Amino acid sequence: MHISQRTLHIPTSPIRKLAPIANRVEKTKKIYHLNIGQPDIPTPDSFFEGVASYHPKVVAYGKSQGNEKLLQGIRNYYAGWGMEYDLDDIFVTNGGSEAVSFAVMTTCDPGDNILMFEPFYANYKSFTGAYNVEINGVPTSPDTGYHLPDEATVEKYINDRTRAILICNPGNPTGVIYTRAEMDMLSRIVRKYDLTLIADEVYREFVYDGVYTSFGQLRELDDYLVLIDSVSKRYSACGARSGCVITRNKALQQELLKCCQARLSCPNIEQLGAAALYTTPKSYWEDVKKEYTKRRDTIKACLSRMPGVISSDPKGAFYVMVKMPIDDTEKFAKWLLEDFDIDGETVMITPGNGFYASDVKRGQDEARLAYVLNTEDLKKAMRILEEGLKKYPGRK
Ligand SMILES: *Cc1c(COP(=O)(O)O)cnc(C)c1O
């Protein structure tokens, strides 16, 4: 059988690569999972009530664009942020993942490229690779908290096949929140070069310091912006597979609708669950944010005590990117699983190289840690990491 070069070129997810080892080790050791962004916060009950309300005579196809109730729910949620969208601007997708795929598919042709700031969400490689679209990686540095380079530097990466800038804010894997000045810079650039700005804001509600501005609030971007959204992280409902893609650009709306029609519809049951989630009162996030702020403060404090470790200063999402004094994080991560433990317990981390595209060596001494554990477990996990770093034979 012929297997396409297109999929052969898509790298295995850095998270999945270590999974077989972890599965084997888990039989004899307890593993603290800092490697996955799967929140442990209970899903609001409204989800299950929404799901239970589904009992039609025939389980028919839903509308391609999305269930009306869910579209209304999304619109109301955005109105709460001061962003007034028409229902025509919103397309329900199978998670934020399909939203990114649709955005890439509708804005880029094979051989085109999308600017992304490294380190970026590793799955973007799959969403672009599937359409033969290249990632044009712009490096950022742990020393500057993974903030953006200046305007002239960013512009140097743009070439005649650049069609879009894809940015995740708050950022996965760094937890960075871009400043208003950085957002204005990107806004100027996309308008100057007539690019699309694809803004992945699935972590919009996870902001621990300062104010957050959505790219949707920059009205000069109306014709250039594609917003990516999802209930997965926001309502701790990753398995609901419900997201959306939003744009005010009328021409793009036509094409997004074709993508939705090609896959007929999203699942009815999950859409009703998601619609109910969108009625969750704002107070829900106050408790969630309090909990994540505690976790963020805990992991930051622990990391700052580890000699030779540089970490991003996470202000949002629930990840921190760390640079460690070691030869190779992939080896270190394997070693932590297979050859190290404290009282039968160890940690699993995600190697950093999967979050880069410009150079295979980049990220080799970095890792992403997800602080999705309660603070007690987090402290234990950090102690294991700290001791592991001291004993690891590949330490520099
Ligand atoms: C989790 C995640 C998504 C999408 O997740 P879905 O479950 O498909 O909604 C998109 N972007 C980023 C940065 C993520 O971390």
Side-chain angles (χ1 to χ4, degrees):
M1 188 202 286
H2 177 74
I3 305 286
S4 76
Q5 288 302 315
R6 186 193 298 124
T7 52
L8 285 172
H9 278 147
I10 296 174
T12 309
S13 142
I15 299 154
R16 279 225 320 268
K17 250 194 231 174
L18 292 168
I21 301 174
N23 287 342
R24 176 162 47 77
V25 166
E26 213 136 30
K27 295 193 179 101
T28 54
K29 278 185 207 178
K30 178 177 167 64
I31 300 175
Y32 292 102
H33 287 274
L34 300 173
N35 56 305
I36 34 167
Q38 163 67 62
D40 63 340
I41 306 284
T43 310
D45 274 338
S46 57
F47 177 79
F48 304 100
E49 289 156 19
V51 165
S53 73
Y54 186 71
H55 200 280
K57 275 216 176 67
V58 176
V59 181
Y61 286 123
K63 273 177 62 185
S64 295
Q65 190 199 342
N67 175 288
E68 190 94 13
K69 245 189 180 165
L70 177 52
L71 289 168
Q72 295 277 6
I74 295 169
R75 185 172 70 171
N76 292 344
Y77 162 83
Y78 273 88
W81 270 88
M83 293 182 259
E84 304 285 344
Y85 287 105
D86 292 336
L87 291 186
D88 291 346
D89 301 337
I90 307 166
F91 300 85
V92 173
T93 55
N94 290 299
S97 303
E98 191 182 56
V100 178
S101 286
F102 285 180
V104 173
M105 198 196 308
T106 52
T107 59
C108 299
D109 285 310
D112 287 345
N113 66 74
I114 300 182
L115 238 65
M116 295 186 201
F117 301 98
E118 297 178 327
F120 53 77
Y121 177 48
N123 273 345
Y124 292 155
K125 289 186 186 175
S126 314
F127 305 143
T128 49
Y131 302 108
N132 295 94
V133 172
E134 311 289 329
I135 293 176
N136 191 343
V138 182
T140 69
S141 159
D143 307 316
T144 54
Y146 299 98
H147 276 277
L148 302 184
D150 63 28
E151 195 156 349
T153 308
V154 176
E155 285 189 77
K156 271 191 212 137
Y157 285 87
I158 294 170
N159 58 43
D160 59 359
R161 298 300 302 267
T162 305
R163 301 293 177 228
I165 297 177
L166 169 50
I167 188 149
C168 180
N169 189 35
N172 175 3
T174 61
V176 70
I177 292 182
Y178 298 101
T179 63
R180 183 58 194 257
E182 287 172 301
M183 294 173 72
D184 288 337
M185 169 182 82
L186 292 180
S187 165
R188 278 193 301 277
I189 292 175
V190 295
R191 286 178 291 132
K192 179 173 171 186
Y193 293 93
D194 193 20
L195 308 175
T196 304
L197 186 68
I198 306 172
D200 183 340
E201 298 188 353
V202 301
Y203 295 101
R204 186 184 297 124
E205 302 292 343
F206 297 87
V207 172
Y208 314 120
D209 304 314
V211 286
Y212 176 77
T213 308
S214 165
F215 277 104
Q217 290 166 320
L218 275 53
R219 293 304 303 264
E220 70 275 16
L221 280 174
D222 274 7
D223 251 356
Y224 300 85
L225 181 67
V226 177
L227 276 179
I228 305 298
D229 211 342
S230 164
V231 304
S232 290
K233 319 293 161 53
R234 180 167 306 151
Y235 300 105
S236 210
C238 295
R241 311 306 311 127
S242 195
C244 64
V245 53
I246 302 179
T247 186
R248 285 193 164 99
N249 183 304
K250 294 283 173 209
L252 194 64
Q253 285 174 8
Q254 299 299 316
E255 308 312 310
L256 287 169
L257 187 59
K258 286 189 212 164
C259 295
C260 292
Q261 287 167 342
R263 57 89 168 107
L264 304 175
S265 72
C266 289
N268 294 331
I269 301 178
E270 278 77 2
Q271 288 191 84
L272 289 178
L277 284 176
Y278 273 103
T279 64
T280 308
K282 264 190 179 302
S283 57
Y284 166 79
W285 288 299
E286 282 159 26
D287 294 338
V288 173
K289 253 199 274 200
K290 228 182 268 166
E291 176 60 25
Y292 276 108
T293 306
K294 259 192 346 204
R295 296 173 180 188
R296 192 274 312 260
D297 293 344
T298 302
I299 200 165
K300 235 175 99 167
C302 294
L303 288 169
S304 69
R305 281 198 298 268
M306 297 183 199
V309 171
I310 303 175
S311 74
S312 61
D313 181 18
K315 295 186 182 307
F318 33 67
Y319 308 97
V320 56
M321 197 75 181
V322 294
K323 184 172 151 76
M324 296 175 289
I326 51 172
D327 57 347
D328 181 335
T329 319
E330 214 170 295
K331 284 188 201 155
F332 178 54
K334 266 189 207 147
W335 179 86
L336 281 172
L337 287 172
E338 290 179 321
D339 303 313
F340 186 73
D341 67 84
I342 296 181
D343 302 330
E345 299 186 337
T346 192
V347 290
M348 186 164 174
I349 61 175
T350 306
N353 54 353
F355 301 97
Y356 290 85
S358 63
D359 182 344
V360 288
K361 285 228 153 39
R362 283 190 72 92
Q364 220 171 44
D365 57 355
E366 292 174 55
R368 186 192 73 173
L369 312 179
Y371 46 97
V372 290
L373 306 176
N374 65 60
T375 46
E376 280 320 298
D377 285 352
L378 206 51
K379 279 181 198 160
K380 285 186 207 158
M382 285 296 107
R383 197 171 84 84
I384 295 166
L385 182 68
E386 186 171 7
E387 290 306 310
L389 272 172
K390 284 182 194 158
K391 306 228 164 69
Y392 175 57
R395 187 183 169 101
K396 281 198 207 151

